Amino acid sequence: MNRIKGKLLCGMALSCLLAACATTPATVDPAAKLDAVVAEADAAQKAGQTDKAVKLLKDATGAFPADKAPWVRLAQIKFDGENYGEAINYALEGLQRDPKDKVANSIVAVGGLRLSTKALNELRTQNDLNGNVRSEAQGLAKILRESLGETVLLPANPPRPKVIRPVVKKGAVPTSKPSTPAEPASGEANPFGSLQ
């Protein structure tokens, strides 16, 4: 009887082992899984479901902590939505994983310039652009000019487009007025004008 029980237990153990091997899932390539998540987020973004895309990518940052792709994609979504602060933070996370990533570096540079321009405009409207802030802004403007190889960042008086006036025969009445370029609104003045 013990012998039968032993064989029975051994057979059951072998069956369980074989069943466990048969149901073990095949290993999934992590890169393929991440690509699928990023593709799903891109599809959600194109469908106008930005919140869903952001959630998918944030989940991917936890599931794939060493990969830059979800961070850089999050940065691009936030940049496109003109949320430059968050875009820069996500881009910096991407740069920690790949310091040479061109998209992340571009987002940090351009997003930073846009935030700086907005802040300088605010300071200028409040007449608070003086002292240390002014000298630091002038120093940054100089670095930008040197980096871009330009003597000025923005021309003080940008060239105006030529106005094409229709030829009107003597005695004829013109049917429409020629268009002239509109003057920039007072809030659209060159934020770096005093720094040139």
Side-chain angles (χ1 to χ4, degrees):
M1 186 80 157
N2 282 340
R3 204 169 159 189
I4 294 175
K5 282 184 180 179
K7 285 184 178 183
L8 186 60
L9 285 173
C10 188
M12 286 175 42
L14 185 59
S15 295
C16 288
L17 225 119
L18 289 173
C21 289
T23 60
T24 303
T27 58
V28 178
D29 179 25
K33 187 173 180 182
L34 176 60
D35 290 344
V37 171
V38 172
E40 185 180 353
D42 286 344
Q45 174 72 18
K46 287 178 185 172
Q49 300 172 331
T50 303
D51 292 340
K52 180 181 178 182
V54 168
K55 183 182 181 333
L56 286 166
L57 292 167
K58 282 185 178 180
D59 291 346
T61 63
F64 305 95
D67 203 298
K68 70 174 181 176
W71 293 107
V72 175
R73 191 66 190 100
L74 276 167
Q76 186 68 56
I77 288 172
K78 292 299 181 175
F79 183 87
D80 293 343
E82 297 181 7
N83 189 336
Y84 302 117
E86 281 188 69
I88 290 169
N89 286 333
Y90 288 134
L92 290 172
E93 286 289 339
L95 289 172
Q96 285 182 355
R97 288 146 181 85
D98 179 7
K100 294 183 180 184
D101 187 87
K102 289 182 181 181
V103 172
N105 275 308
S106 296
I107 289 172
V108 171
V110 177
L113 286 172
R114 290 186 179 173
L115 286 175
S116 297
T117 300
K118 181 180 177 185
L120 286 170
N121 277 332
E122 287 297 318
L123 286 171
R124 196 175 70 196
T125 60
Q126 299 168 13
N127 291 326
D128 284 343
L129 189 59
N130 55 34
N132 290 340
V133 174
R134 182 179 181 85
S135 60
E136 187 170 340
Q138 287 172 329
L140 289 172
K142 180 181 177 192
I143 291 170
L144 284 170
R145 285 191 303 265
E146 290 169 356
S147 297
L148 297 172
E150 300 289 333
T151 55
V152 292
L153 290 176
L154 298 170
N157 295 317
R160 294 188 176 269
K162 286 187 175 181
V163 177
I164 299 173
R165 302 196 188 278
V167 176
V168 180
K169 292 182 182 179
K170 189 172 184 177
V173 178
T175 57
S176 66
K177 294 176 94 178
S179 62
T180 57
E183 290 293 321
S186 60
E188 295 177 347
N190 177 359
F192 297 107
S194 64
L195 303 178
Q196 296 175 7

PDB file of all heavy atoms in Angstrom, residues 163-194:
ATOM      1  N   VAL A 163       5.257  96.139 -49.974  1.00  0.00           N
ATOM      2  CA  VAL A 163       3.846  96.232 -50.280  1.00  0.00           C
ATOM      3  C   VAL A 163       3.711  96.378 -51.784  1.00  0.00           C
ATOM      4  O   VAL A 163       4.298  97.270 -52.392  1.00  0.00           O
ATOM      5  CB  VAL A 163       3.198  97.440 -49.562  1.00  0.00           C
ATOM      6  CG1 VAL A 163       1.738  97.580 -49.936  1.00  0.00           C
ATOM      7  CG2 VAL A 163       3.380  97.303 -48.065  1.00  0.00           C
ATOM      8  N   ILE A 164       2.977  95.493 -52.365  1.00  0.00           N
ATOM      9  CA  ILE A 164       2.776  95.544 -53.813  1.00  0.00           C
ATOM     10  C   ILE A 164       1.490  96.327 -54.064  1.00  0.00           C
ATOM     11  O   ILE A 164       0.419  95.962 -53.599  1.00  0.00           O
ATOM     12  CB  ILE A 164       2.667  94.122 -54.404  1.00  0.00           C
ATOM     13  CG1 ILE A 164       3.960  93.362 -54.123  1.00  0.00           C
ATOM     14  CG2 ILE A 164       2.344  94.180 -55.892  1.00  0.00           C
ATOM     15  CD1 ILE A 164       3.924  91.918 -54.505  1.00  0.00           C
ATOM     16  N   ARG A 165       1.652  97.406 -54.733  1.00  0.00           N
ATOM     17  CA  ARG A 165       0.505  98.265 -55.032  1.00  0.00           C
ATOM     18  C   ARG A 165       0.054  97.999 -56.477  1.00  0.00           C
ATOM     19  O   ARG A 165       0.876  97.957 -57.387  1.00  0.00           O
ATOM     20  CB  ARG A 165       0.881  99.724 -54.859  1.00  0.00           C
ATOM     21  CG  ARG A 165       1.376 100.012 -53.443  1.00  0.00           C
ATOM     22  CD  ARG A 165       1.377 101.502 -53.166  1.00  0.00           C
ATOM     23  NE  ARG A 165       2.002 101.806 -51.907  1.00  0.00           N
ATOM     24  CZ  ARG A 165       1.412 101.727 -50.723  1.00  0.00           C
ATOM     25  NH1 ARG A 165       0.188 101.326 -50.641  1.00  0.00           N
ATOM     26  NH2 ARG A 165       2.061 102.047 -49.633  1.00  0.00           N
ATOM     27  N   PRO A 166      -1.249  97.848 -56.646  1.00  0.00           N
ATOM     28  CA  PRO A 166      -1.735  97.595 -58.008  1.00  0.00           C
ATOM     29  C   PRO A 166      -1.589  98.840 -58.878  1.00  0.00           C
ATOM     30  O   PRO A 166      -1.637  99.962 -58.392  1.00  0.00           O
ATOM     31  CB  PRO A 166      -3.211  97.239 -57.793  1.00  0.00           C
ATOM     32  CG  PRO A 166      -3.562  97.844 -56.484  1.00  0.00           C
ATOM     33  CD  PRO A 166      -2.294  97.871 -55.670  1.00  0.00           C
ATOM     34  N   VAL A 167      -1.383  98.603 -60.142  1.00  0.00           N
ATOM     35  CA  VAL A 167      -1.300  99.705 -61.096  1.00  0.00           C
ATOM     36  C   VAL A 167      -2.723 100.121 -61.439  1.00  0.00           C
ATOM     37  O   VAL A 167      -3.547  99.299 -61.836  1.00  0.00           O
ATOM     38  CB  VAL A 167      -0.542  99.265 -62.375  1.00  0.00           C
ATOM     39  CG1 VAL A 167      -0.544 100.379 -63.409  1.00  0.00           C
ATOM     40  CG2 VAL A 167       0.851  98.824 -62.012  1.00  0.00           C
ATOM     41  N   VAL A 168      -3.003 101.398 -61.230  1.00  0.00           N
ATOM     42  CA  VAL A 168      -4.346 101.908 -61.505  1.00  0.00           C
ATOM     43  C   VAL A 168      -4.245 102.868 -62.684  1.00  0.00           C
ATOM     44  O   VAL A 168      -3.463 103.810 -62.664  1.00  0.00           O
ATOM     45  CB  VAL A 168      -4.926 102.628 -60.260  1.00  0.00           C
ATOM     46  CG1 VAL A 168      -6.318 103.152 -60.560  1.00  0.00           C
ATOM     47  CG2 VAL A 168      -4.924 101.704 -59.066  1.00  0.00           C
ATOM     48  N   LYS A 169      -5.051 102.607 -63.689  1.00  0.00           N
ATOM     49  CA  LYS A 169      -5.058 103.479 -64.857  1.00  0.00           C
ATOM     50  C   LYS A 169      -5.697 104.803 -64.492  1.00  0.00           C
ATOM     51  O   LYS A 169      -6.573 104.871 -63.623  1.00  0.00           O
ATOM     52  CB  LYS A 169      -5.837 102.830 -65.990  1.00  0.00           C
ATOM     53  CG  LYS A 169      -5.151 101.612 -66.552  1.00  0.00           C
ATOM     54  CD  LYS A 169      -5.940 101.046 -67.701  1.00  0.00           C
ATOM     55  CE  LYS A 169      -5.257  99.797 -68.216  1.00  0.00           C
ATOM     56  NZ  LYS A 169      -6.000  99.204 -69.316  1.00  0.00           N
ATOM     57  N   LYS A 170      -5.260 105.817 -65.146  1.00  0.00           N
ATOM     58  CA  LYS A 170      -5.753 107.164 -64.887  1.00  0.00           C
ATOM     59  C   LYS A 170      -7.261 107.189 -65.117  1.00  0.00           C
ATOM     60  O   LYS A 170      -7.764 106.731 -66.130  1.00  0.00           O
ATOM     61  CB  LYS A 170      -5.059 108.168 -65.804  1.00  0.00           C
ATOM     62  CG  LYS A 170      -5.347 109.579 -65.456  1.00  0.00           C
ATOM     63  CD  LYS A 170      -4.479 110.494 -66.286  1.00  0.00           C
ATOM     64  CE  LYS A 170      -4.726 111.916 -65.831  1.00  0.00           C
ATOM     65  NZ  LYS A 170      -3.880 112.848 -66.529  1.00  0.00           N
ATOM     66  N   GLY A 171      -7.974 107.700 -64.114  1.00  0.00           N
ATOM     67  CA  GLY A 171      -9.416 107.812 -64.204  1.00  0.00           C
ATOM     68  C   GLY A 171     -10.143 106.586 -63.679  1.00  0.00           C
ATOM     69  O   GLY A 171     -11.342 106.625 -63.449  1.00  0.00           O
ATOM     70  N   ALA A 172      -9.427 105.447 -63.466  1.00  0.00           N
ATOM     71  CA  ALA A 172     -10.083 104.247 -62.940  1.00  0.00           C
ATOM     72  C   ALA A 172     -10.176 104.339 -61.429  1.00  0.00           C
ATOM     73  O   ALA A 172      -9.352 104.958 -60.766  1.00  0.00           O
ATOM     74  CB  ALA A 172      -9.296 103.004 -63.342  1.00  0.00           C
ATOM     75  N   VAL A 173     -11.192 103.713 -60.875  1.00  0.00           N
ATOM     76  CA  VAL A 173     -11.385 103.705 -59.425  1.00  0.00           C
ATOM     77  C   VAL A 173     -10.876 102.367 -58.890  1.00  0.00           C
ATOM     78  O   VAL A 173     -11.327 101.307 -59.334  1.00  0.00           O
ATOM     79  CB  VAL A 173     -12.875 103.897 -59.071  1.00  0.00           C
ATOM     80  CG1 VAL A 173     -13.095 103.834 -57.579  1.00  0.00           C
ATOM     81  CG2 VAL A 173     -13.401 105.183 -59.659  1.00  0.00           C
ATOM     82  N   PRO A 174      -9.929 102.413 -57.938  1.00  0.00           N
ATOM     83  CA  PRO A 174      -9.434 101.135 -57.390  1.00  0.00           C
ATOM     84  C   PRO A 174     -10.558 100.421 -56.647  1.00  0.00           C
ATOM     85  O   PRO A 174     -11.358 101.047 -55.973  1.00  0.00           O
ATOM     86  CB  PRO A 174      -8.308 101.526 -56.452  1.00  0.00           C
ATOM     87  CG  PRO A 174      -8.317 103.013 -56.347  1.00  0.00           C
ATOM     88  CD  PRO A 174      -9.262 103.549 -57.366  1.00  0.00           C
ATOM     89  N   THR A 175     -10.607  99.093 -56.781  1.00  0.00           N
ATOM     90  CA  THR A 175     -11.664  98.312 -56.131  1.00  0.00           C
ATOM     91  C   THR A 175     -11.312  97.908 -54.715  1.00  0.00           C
ATOM     92  O   THR A 175     -12.177  97.588 -53.931  1.00  0.00           O
ATOM     93  CB  THR A 175     -11.958  97.042 -56.951  1.00  0.00           C
ATOM     94  OG1 THR A 175     -10.751  96.309 -57.094  1.00  0.00           O
ATOM     95  CG2 THR A 175     -12.538  97.408 -58.306  1.00  0.00           C
ATOM     96  N   SER A 176     -10.065  97.901 -54.377  1.00  0.00           N
ATOM     97  CA  SER A 176      -9.689  97.554 -53.001  1.00  0.00           C
ATOM     98  C   SER A 176      -8.454  98.336 -52.608  1.00  0.00           C
ATOM     99  O   SER A 176      -7.677  98.767 -53.444  1.00  0.00           O
ATOM    100  CB  SER A 176      -9.427  96.048 -52.875  1.00  0.00           C
ATOM    101  OG  SER A 176      -8.297  95.714 -53.631  1.00  0.00           O
ATOM    102  N   LYS A 177      -8.293  98.477 -51.301  1.00  0.00           N
ATOM    103  CA  LYS A 177      -7.125  99.188 -50.792  1.00  0.00           C
ATOM    104  C   LYS A 177      -5.940  98.239 -50.739  1.00  0.00           C
ATOM    105  O   LYS A 177      -6.109  97.070 -50.422  1.00  0.00           O
ATOM    106  CB  LYS A 177      -7.402  99.706 -49.375  1.00  0.00           C
ATOM    107  CG  LYS A 177      -8.467 100.773 -49.325  1.00  0.00           C
ATOM    108  CD  LYS A 177      -8.736 101.146 -47.897  1.00  0.00           C
ATOM    109  CE  LYS A 177      -7.908 102.326 -47.499  1.00  0.00           C
ATOM    110  NZ  LYS A 177      -8.157 102.759 -46.137  1.00  0.00           N
ATOM    111  N   PRO A 178      -4.765  98.727 -51.045  1.00  0.00           N
ATOM    112  CA  PRO A 178      -3.591  97.860 -50.898  1.00  0.00           C
ATOM    113  C   PRO A 178      -3.370  97.551 -49.429  1.00  0.00           C
ATOM    114  O   PRO A 178      -3.615  98.377 -48.559  1.00  0.00           O
ATOM    115  CB  PRO A 178      -2.439  98.677 -51.483  1.00  0.00           C
ATOM    116  CG  PRO A 178      -2.924 100.088 -51.531  1.00  0.00           C
ATOM    117  CD  PRO A 178      -4.424 100.042 -51.555  1.00  0.00           C
ATOM    118  N   SER A 179      -2.938  96.323 -49.182  1.00  0.00           N
ATOM    119  CA  SER A 179      -2.722  95.939 -47.782  1.00  0.00           C
ATOM    120  C   SER A 179      -1.349  96.391 -47.320  1.00  0.00           C
ATOM    121  O   SER A 179      -0.390  96.389 -48.077  1.00  0.00           O
ATOM    122  CB  SER A 179      -2.861  94.426 -47.629  1.00  0.00           C
ATOM    123  OG  SER A 179      -1.880  93.789 -48.397  1.00  0.00           O
ATOM    124  N   THR A 180      -1.289  96.778 -46.057  1.00  0.00           N
ATOM    125  CA  THR A 180      -0.010  97.138 -45.440  1.00  0.00           C
ATOM    126  C   THR A 180       0.148  96.295 -44.210  1.00  0.00           C
ATOM    127  O   THR A 180      -0.836  95.928 -43.566  1.00  0.00           O
ATOM    128  CB  THR A 180       0.037  98.637 -45.052  1.00  0.00           C
ATOM    129  OG1 THR A 180      -1.055  98.905 -44.188  1.00  0.00           O
ATOM    130  CG2 THR A 180      -0.027  99.527 -46.274  1.00  0.00           C
ATOM    131  N   PRO A 181       1.357  95.958 -43.867  1.00  0.00           N
ATOM    132  CA  PRO A 181       1.555  95.129 -42.683  1.00  0.00           C
ATOM    133  C   PRO A 181       1.122  95.873 -41.436  1.00  0.00           C
ATOM    134  O   PRO A 181       1.307  97.080 -41.315  1.00  0.00           O
ATOM    135  CB  PRO A 181       3.065  94.843 -42.660  1.00  0.00           C
ATOM    136  CG  PRO A 181       3.676  95.672 -43.731  1.00  0.00           C
ATOM    137  CD  PRO A 181       2.589  96.280 -44.538  1.00  0.00           C
ATOM    138  N   ALA A 182       0.539  95.123 -40.512  1.00  0.00           N
ATOM    139  CA  ALA A 182       0.082  95.711 -39.258  1.00  0.00           C
ATOM    140  C   ALA A 182       1.264  95.985 -38.352  1.00  0.00           C
ATOM    141  O   ALA A 182       2.259  95.268 -38.369  1.00  0.00           O
ATOM    142  CB  ALA A 182      -0.891  94.756 -38.577  1.00  0.00           C
ATOM    143  N   GLU A 183       1.138  97.024 -37.578  1.00  0.00           N
ATOM    144  CA  GLU A 183       2.165  97.323 -36.584  1.00  0.00           C
ATOM    145  C   GLU A 183       2.065  96.294 -35.468  1.00  0.00           C
ATOM    146  O   GLU A 183       0.972  95.870 -35.104  1.00  0.00           O
ATOM    147  CB  GLU A 183       1.926  98.731 -35.989  1.00  0.00           C
ATOM    148  CG  GLU A 183       2.191  99.848 -36.975  1.00  0.00           C
ATOM    149  CD  GLU A 183       3.660  99.937 -37.324  1.00  0.00           C
ATOM    150  OE1 GLU A 183       4.513  99.769 -36.442  1.00  0.00           O
ATOM    151  OE2 GLU A 183       3.958 100.176 -38.511  1.00  0.00           O
ATOM    152  N   PRO A 184       3.191  95.870 -34.874  1.00  0.00           N
ATOM    153  CA  PRO A 184       3.108  94.917 -33.778  1.00  0.00           C
ATOM    154  C   PRO A 184       2.436  95.568 -32.581  1.00  0.00           C
ATOM    155  O   PRO A 184       2.585  96.756 -32.334  1.00  0.00           O
ATOM    156  CB  PRO A 184       4.568  94.568 -33.462  1.00  0.00           C
ATOM    157  CG  PRO A 184       5.382  95.644 -34.088  1.00  0.00           C
ATOM    158  CD  PRO A 184       4.558  96.225 -35.193  1.00  0.00           C
ATOM    159  N   ALA A 185       1.656  94.745 -31.862  1.00  0.00           N
ATOM    160  CA  ALA A 185       1.008  95.235 -30.645  1.00  0.00           C
ATOM    161  C   ALA A 185       2.073  95.615 -29.639  1.00  0.00           C
ATOM    162  O   ALA A 185       3.196  95.112 -29.664  1.00  0.00           O
ATOM    163  CB  ALA A 185       0.091  94.149 -30.086  1.00  0.00           C
ATOM    164  N   SER A 186       1.713  96.491 -28.722  1.00  0.00           N
ATOM    165  CA  SER A 186       2.714  96.991 -27.773  1.00  0.00           C
ATOM    166  C   SER A 186       3.309  95.861 -26.936  1.00  0.00           C
ATOM    167  O   SER A 186       4.439  95.929 -26.513  1.00  0.00           O
ATOM    168  CB  SER A 186       2.099  98.048 -26.874  1.00  0.00           C
ATOM    169  OG  SER A 186       1.014  97.484 -26.150  1.00  0.00           O
ATOM    170  N   GLY A 187       2.545  94.783 -26.691  1.00  0.00           N
ATOM    171  CA  GLY A 187       3.061  93.670 -25.897  1.00  0.00           C
ATOM    172  C   GLY A 187       3.968  92.747 -26.683  1.00  0.00           C
ATOM    173  O   GLY A 187       4.576  91.853 -26.137  1.00  0.00           O
ATOM    174  N   GLU A 188       4.067  92.931 -28.005  1.00  0.00           N
ATOM    175  CA  GLU A 188       4.863  92.039 -28.826  1.00  0.00           C
ATOM    176  C   GLU A 188       6.240  92.604 -29.148  1.00  0.00           C
ATOM    177  O   GLU A 188       6.913  92.153 -30.057  1.00  0.00           O
ATOM    178  CB  GLU A 188       4.125  91.737 -30.133  1.00  0.00           C
ATOM    179  CG  GLU A 188       2.837  90.974 -29.950  1.00  0.00           C
ATOM    180  CD  GLU A 188       2.112  90.770 -31.263  1.00  0.00           C
ATOM    181  OE1 GLU A 188       2.482  91.420 -32.259  1.00  0.00           O
ATOM    182  OE2 GLU A 188       1.183  89.973 -31.290  1.00  0.00           O
ATOM    183  N   ALA A 189       6.672  93.599 -28.450  1.00  0.00           N
ATOM    184  CA  ALA A 189       7.972  94.204 -28.727  1.00  0.00           C
ATOM    185  C   ALA A 189       9.086  93.214 -28.417  1.00  0.00           C
ATOM    186  O   ALA A 189       8.891  92.244 -27.713  1.00  0.00           O
ATOM    187  CB  ALA A 189       8.139  95.471 -27.897  1.00  0.00           C
ATOM    188  N   ASN A 190      10.250  93.492 -28.941  1.00  0.00           N
ATOM    189  CA  ASN A 190      11.402  92.626 -28.764  1.00  0.00           C
ATOM    190  C   ASN A 190      11.789  92.552 -27.283  1.00  0.00           C
ATOM    191  O   ASN A 190      12.185  93.560 -26.699  1.00  0.00           O
ATOM    192  CB  ASN A 190      12.551  93.212 -29.610  1.00  0.00           C
ATOM    193  CG  ASN A 190      13.833  92.433 -29.454  1.00  0.00           C
ATOM    194  OD1 ASN A 190      13.900  91.470 -28.707  1.00  0.00           O
ATOM    195  ND2 ASN A 190      14.845  92.863 -30.166  1.00  0.00           N
ATOM    196  N   PRO A 191      11.699  91.369 -26.662  1.00  0.00           N
ATOM    197  CA  PRO A 191      12.022  91.268 -25.238  1.00  0.00           C
ATOM    198  C   PRO A 191      13.508  91.484 -24.948  1.00  0.00           C
ATOM    199  O   PRO A 191      13.872  91.785 -23.832  1.00  0.00           O
ATOM    200  CB  PRO A 191      11.599  89.846 -24.872  1.00  0.00           C
ATOM    201  CG  PRO A 191      11.680  89.098 -26.149  1.00  0.00           C
ATOM    202  CD  PRO A 191      11.308  90.094 -27.220  1.00  0.00           C
ATOM    203  N   PHE A 192      14.367  91.335 -25.959  1.00  0.00           N
ATOM    204  CA  PHE A 192      15.796  91.496 -25.763  1.00  0.00           C
ATOM    205  C   PHE A 192      16.290  92.819 -26.315  1.00  0.00           C
ATOM    206  O   PHE A 192      17.489  93.031 -26.451  1.00  0.00           O
ATOM    207  CB  PHE A 192      16.568  90.352 -26.422  1.00  0.00           C
ATOM    208  CG  PHE A 192      16.249  89.008 -25.836  1.00  0.00           C
ATOM    209  CD1 PHE A 192      15.482  88.090 -26.536  1.00  0.00           C
ATOM    210  CD2 PHE A 192      16.693  88.677 -24.581  1.00  0.00           C
ATOM    211  CE1 PHE A 192      15.179  86.864 -25.989  1.00  0.00           C
ATOM    212  CE2 PHE A 192      16.396  87.438 -24.026  1.00  0.00           C
ATOM    213  CZ  PHE A 192      15.632  86.544 -24.735  1.00  0.00           C
ATOM    214  N   GLY A 193      15.359  93.729 -26.663  1.00  0.00           N
ATOM    215  CA  GLY A 193      15.739  94.993 -27.280  1.00  0.00           C
ATOM    216  C   GLY A 193      16.780  95.760 -26.491  1.00  0.00           C
ATOM    217  O   GLY A 193      17.738  96.290 -27.041  1.00  0.00           O
ATOM    218  N   SER A 194      16.619  95.809 -25.186  1.00  0.00           N
ATOM    219  CA  SER A 194      17.585  96.564 -24.375  1.00  0.00           C
ATOM    220  C   SER A 194      18.879  95.805 -24.158  1.00  0.00           C
ATOM    221  O   SER A 194      19.840  96.338 -23.639  1.00  0.00           O
ATOM    222  CB  SER A 194      16.955  96.923 -23.030  1.00  0.00           C
ATOM    223  OG  SER A 194      16.675  95.747 -22.316  1.00  0.00           O
TER     224      SER A 194
END
